[in-house]
């Protein structure tokens, strides 16, 4: 393991930063503290991406960054509530200042609640779910878009199987927010193709992560064993990130074999 400075970067990294000539690709991940976001950050860092880690829990992000740096990667910790639009803009500016730009986004922050039916849902929870799953995605893309245009950047929106096919158990707010992401991605691709910007609506089926704890009936270990893993989605997201500049992957649906 190389020696690091107080900033967490190696001596070589510091020299590159000082010279303003860091050649690495940079990816900003939201929801990086757990699940699919965390797994994608680890995999992207191993394949040469400099990663920015955003999420609400600084201590979790710091632990992940330490793991990435110990493996020779570069990680910037940027705690963030994605519903805070001003903080999103400030984080985008910080990334470009410290890492030189933004080449890609992986948007994995998500929210659901156990109360999912019209006859029991709470509208305050409804607002929070839509704000996290949809509005915050638009906010992060909007903040990063000038930089993505400069670099013909990539956007991977980690959505849901419920965003591709109606799932009765997913919930009113969750289904609505995830379905809307498909339109968000399509408009981004249609309007920003001239700048080389590409976006993918990634729709995983059941994934065995802590997100399952938000279900009205939490799946047991046997059920989780049949599901996708966070690493399965990380591998898929990185396949999109590493695609050639002339290739756009508009939408991907990834399912466990057991999912109907």
């Amino acid at each position: 393991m190389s020696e690091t400075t107080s900033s967490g970067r190696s001596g070589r990294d510091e020299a590159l930063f000082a010279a303003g000539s860091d050649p690495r690709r940079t990816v900003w991940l939201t929801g990086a503290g757990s699940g699919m976001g965390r797994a994608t950050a680890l995999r992207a860092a191993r394949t040469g991406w400099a990663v920015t880690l955003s999420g609400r829990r600084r201590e979790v992000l710091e632990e992940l960054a330490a793991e990435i740096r110990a493996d020779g990667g570069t990680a910037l910790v940027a705690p963030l509530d994605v519903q805070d639009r001003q903080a999103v803009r400030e984080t985008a500016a910080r990334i470009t200042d410290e890492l030189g730009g933004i080449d890609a986004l992986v948007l994995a922050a998500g929210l659901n609640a156990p109360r999912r039916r019209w006859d029991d849902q709470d509208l305050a929870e409804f607002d929070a779910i839509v704000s996290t799953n949809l509005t915050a995605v638009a906010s992060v893309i909007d903040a990063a878009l000038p930089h993505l245009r400069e670099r013909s950047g990539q956007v991977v929106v980690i959505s849901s199987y419920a965003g591709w096919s109606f799932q009765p158990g997913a919930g009113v707010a969750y289904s609505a927010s995830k379905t809307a992401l498909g339109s968000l991605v399509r408009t981004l691709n249609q309007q920003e193709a001239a700048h080389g910007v590409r976006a993918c609506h990634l729709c995983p089926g059941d994934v065995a992560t802590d997100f399952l704890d938000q279900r009205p009936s939490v799946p047991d270990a046997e059920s989780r064993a049949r599901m996708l893993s966070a690493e399965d989605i990380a591998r898929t997201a990185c396949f999109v990130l590493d695609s050639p500049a002339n290739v756009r992957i508009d939408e991907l649906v990834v399912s466990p074999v057991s999912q109907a």
Side-chain angles (χ1 to χ4, degrees):
M1 182 174 63
S2 61
E3 292 185 1
T4 59
T5 67
S6 59
S7 68
R9 298 191 288 260
S10 69
R12 174 182 176 276
D13 289 341
E14 291 288 357
L16 285 168
F17 273 61
S21 58
D22 191 348
R24 292 162 302 187
R25 301 172 299 169
T26 65
V27 56
W28 179 13
L29 301 103
T30 64
S34 63
M36 294 176 280
R38 184 183 191 280
T40 303
L42 285 168
R43 190 175 187 91
R46 286 197 297 268
T47 57
W49 289 84
V51 300
T52 296
L53 309 172
S54 284
R56 294 191 181 201
R57 298 174 294 167
R58 175 181 286 275
E59 67 280 3
V60 172
L61 299 177
E62 292 286 4
E63 290 172 3
L64 175 57
E67 184 175 349
I68 289 170
R69 293 165 186 155
D71 199 34
T74 297
L76 174 66
V77 173
L80 176 67
D81 178 354
V82 291
Q83 297 185 52
D84 184 338
R85 191 163 297 163
Q86 181 59 33
V88 167
R89 294 193 188 101
E90 291 171 357
T91 301
R94 180 187 170 199
I95 295 167
T96 57
D97 181 56
E98 297 196 31
L99 294 181
I102 301 172
D103 293 278
L105 304 174
V106 175
L107 306 177
L111 183 65
N112 207 347
R115 292 183 289 185
R116 302 183 176 192
R117 297 174 52 84
W118 279 105
D119 57 13
D120 74 344
Q121 71 178 346
D122 178 273
L123 287 182
E125 289 180 339
F126 185 104
D127 288 343
I129 291 166
V130 173
S131 179
T132 300
N133 295 352
L134 177 60
T135 308
V137 170
S139 294
V140 175
I141 294 172
D142 184 77
L145 190 55
H147 313 291
L148 295 172
R149 285 170 172 167
E150 292 175 357
R151 299 187 174 213
S152 298
Q154 283 265 47
V155 178
V156 180
V157 177
I158 298 185
S159 179
S160 168
Y161 200 88
W164 175 72
S165 173
F166 176 65
Q167 302 297 301
V172 179
Y174 188 83
S175 292
S177 61
K178 293 297 187 178
T179 300
L181 289 176
S183 294
L184 185 149
V185 167
R186 285 192 290 273
T187 57
L188 183 63
N189 280 334
Q190 191 275 327
Q191 296 176 16
E192 293 298 323
H195 299 286
V197 175
R198 300 161 289 152
C200 177
H201 185 221
L202 176 54
C203 302
D206 289 338
V207 184
T209 69
D210 292 343
F211 196 75
L212 297 174
D213 295 339
Q214 300 178 26
R215 288 188 176 181
S217 178
V218 178
D220 59 21
E222 182 179 353
S223 298
R224 294 179 189 231
R226 294 192 295 268
M227 298 179 182
L228 299 166
S229 69
E231 289 70 26
D232 292 327
I233 306 310
R235 182 170 59 251
T236 306
C238 287
F239 165 73
V240 176
L241 290 179
D242 292 330
S243 295
N246 66 313
V247 174
R248 186 176 78 202
I249 301 170
D250 296 78
E251 187 171 66
L252 277 175
V253 180
V254 185
S255 309
V257 171
S258 63
Q259 182 162 313

